[in-house]
């Protein structure tokens, strides 16, 4: 038997109050009414933003996204939900569904807002300088918004600023000497972006590990140093022991630039080594791989 609420209406089957169910269903119908030429619903980038009602807490997508980013910057993506964003804006959760249909749409909007912070290189820059500029500025954006790295490399980023970011990569290579073939351009851009995602995620993972443990990288290295000394003394890892003992240990920014230059050397059609390397590859010890006998 179907239960009814106190007003005699049909009870909710979702756990939400019936009035909220009706409001959400109405907002969803409004969103579904806006469709593309093939009859499918428009993505959030193309859907017109509803006109906000006159309330003490006015809303628009920009306010919603900025509030969500503030939550994520403070406490990570686990702190982001439509309900928490609504509370931060002093608005009812159901009002947000008029602007953002799902949490996934909200995450897409947040990612695109960060891409808007990444300014393109100068038009006259050569392809190598342009790619280094884009990579460096993307890394800086990820360090400002660590959660951004968690959303890279997964579902496609199709917002207008994300597309402009990708366009800048492709445009930097298209037509450059040795990059006349579009497949070569595509592959080169894919390799550079793969390096960027991997390097940024690794750096942010180390930052998070430091915060979680309360130990700095050097403190963790000192703690594991005696163990590695004993393992290397077995003679089973002679090459690794030499690398750990003799390699330089640059800061994260230098490590990132060195790796990027090595990659750009590899995709350079002319085979030039135009990277600004110091002459030594940064294979220094990671967060749990100290140089035995060194003080960190």
């Amino acid at each position: 038997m179907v239960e009814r609420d106190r007003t005699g209406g049909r009870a909710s089957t979702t756990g939400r109050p019936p009035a909220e169910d009706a409001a959400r269903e109405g907002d969803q119908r409004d969103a579904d009414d806006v469709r593309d030429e093939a009859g499918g619903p428009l993505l959030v980038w193309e859907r017109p933003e509803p006109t906000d009602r006159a309330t003490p807490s006015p809303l628009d997508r920009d306010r919603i996204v900025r509030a969500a980013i503030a939550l994520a910057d403070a406490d990570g993506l686990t702190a982001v939900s439509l309900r928490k964003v609504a509370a931060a804006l002093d608005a009812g959760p159901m009002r947000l569904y008029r602007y953002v249909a799902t949490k996934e749409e909200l995450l897409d909007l947040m990612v695109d807002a960060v891409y808007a912070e990444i300014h393109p290189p100068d038009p006259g820059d050569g392809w190598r300088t342009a790619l280094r500029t884009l990579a460096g500025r993307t890394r800086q954006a990820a360090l400002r918004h660590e959660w951004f790295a968690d959303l890279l490399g997964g579902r496609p980023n199709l917002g207008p600023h994300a597309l402009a970011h990708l366009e800048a990569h492709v445009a930097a290579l298209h037509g450059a000497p040795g990059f006349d073939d579009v497949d070569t351009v595509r592959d080169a851009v894919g390799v550079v972006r793969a390096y960027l995602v991997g390097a940024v995620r690794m750096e942010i993972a180390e930052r998070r590990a430091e915060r979680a443990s309360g130990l700095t990288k050097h403190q963790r290295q000192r703690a594991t140093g005696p163990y590695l000394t004993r393992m290397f003394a077995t003679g089973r890892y002679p090459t690794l022991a030499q690398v750990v003992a003799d390699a330089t240990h640059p800061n994260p920014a230098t490590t990132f630039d060195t790796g990027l230059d090595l990659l750009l050397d590899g995709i350079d059609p002319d085979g030039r080594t135009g990277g600004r390397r110091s002459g030594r590859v940064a294979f220094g010890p990671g967060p749990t791989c100290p140089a035995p006998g060194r003080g960190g």
Side-chain angles (χ1 to χ4, degrees), residues 8-290:
R10 187 183 181 95
S12 171
T13 59
T14 65
R16 292 187 293 266
E20 289 192 4
D21 277 336
R24 185 169 183 178
E25 289 171 4
D27 289 337
Q28 188 61 50
R29 283 195 299 270
D30 291 341
D32 290 343
D33 286 341
V34 183
R35 297 185 174 270
D36 61 21
E37 295 177 354
L42 295 178
L43 298 182
V44 65
W45 320 108
E46 298 178 292
R47 287 203 309 271
E49 188 163 354
T51 302
D52 195 44
R53 298 183 291 268
T55 65
S57 302
L59 287 183
D60 56 41
R61 284 192 186 126
D62 182 62
R63 289 188 178 91
I64 292 170
V65 171
R66 283 191 282 110
I69 288 176
L71 290 173
D73 286 347
D75 298 307
L77 287 176
T78 57
V80 178
S81 69
L82 291 174
R83 187 170 296 276
K84 291 178 181 178
V85 173
L89 293 170
D90 194 25
M94 289 302 104
R95 288 183 60 199
L96 267 64
Y97 285 105
R98 301 181 64 235
Y99 301 87
V100 183
T102 64
K103 180 179 177 179
E104 286 69 28
E105 282 192 353
L106 177 59
L107 295 178
D108 286 342
L109 290 167
M110 292 166 61
V111 167
D112 207 55
V114 176
Y115 271 118
E117 299 178 13
I118 305 171
H119 300 298
D122 293 334
D125 288 346
W127 68 267
R128 188 178 189 116
T129 299
L131 294 183
R132 291 184 92 260
T133 298
L134 287 166
R137 290 175 180 174
T138 303
R139 171 180 173 268
Q140 289 299 324
L143 295 180
R144 291 192 300 270
H145 310 285
E146 290 186 359
W147 54 268
F148 180 65
D150 299 327
L151 299 177
L152 293 176
R155 59 188 295 175
N157 302 134
L158 301 177
H161 295 106
L163 292 177
H165 185 73
L166 182 56
E167 168 69 17
H169 280 82
V170 175
L173 290 174
H174 185 61
F179 292 102
D180 300 323
D181 183 85
V182 292
D183 288 340
T184 302
V185 172
R186 177 203 60 203
D187 293 343
V189 169
V191 168
V192 172
R193 287 169 63 84
Y195 168 78
L196 171 65
V197 172
V200 166
R201 284 185 171 179
M202 182 180 296
E203 183 175 353
I204 288 175
E206 291 187 4
R207 286 164 54 123
R208 288 170 171 167
E210 285 190 9
R211 291 198 299 268
S213 67
L215 300 175
T216 67
K217 178 178 178 178
H218 296 309
Q219 288 171 329
R220 293 198 307 275
Q221 288 175 346
R222 285 195 294 270
T224 56
Y227 163 77
L228 283 179
T229 298
R230 293 191 296 271
M231 293 302 293
F232 291 159
T234 66
R236 295 199 296 266
Y237 317 101
T239 310
L240 179 60
Q242 182 180 1
V243 169
V244 169
D246 296 338
T248 58
H249 311 299
N251 61 42
T254 301
T255 298
F256 179 85
D257 288 342
T258 299
L260 181 60
D261 280 333
L262 285 169
L263 180 63
L264 296 179
D265 288 346
I267 67 173
D268 190 334
D270 294 333
R272 294 188 299 266
T273 56
R276 294 179 293 177
R277 300 203 304 272
S278 63
R280 304 187 71 180
V281 181
F283 290 122
T288 58
C289 185

Side-chain angles (χ1 to χ4, degrees), residues 3-12 17-19:
E3 296 181 357
R4 296 184 177 276
D5 66 11
R6 294 181 181 177
T7 65
R10 187 183 181 95
S12 171

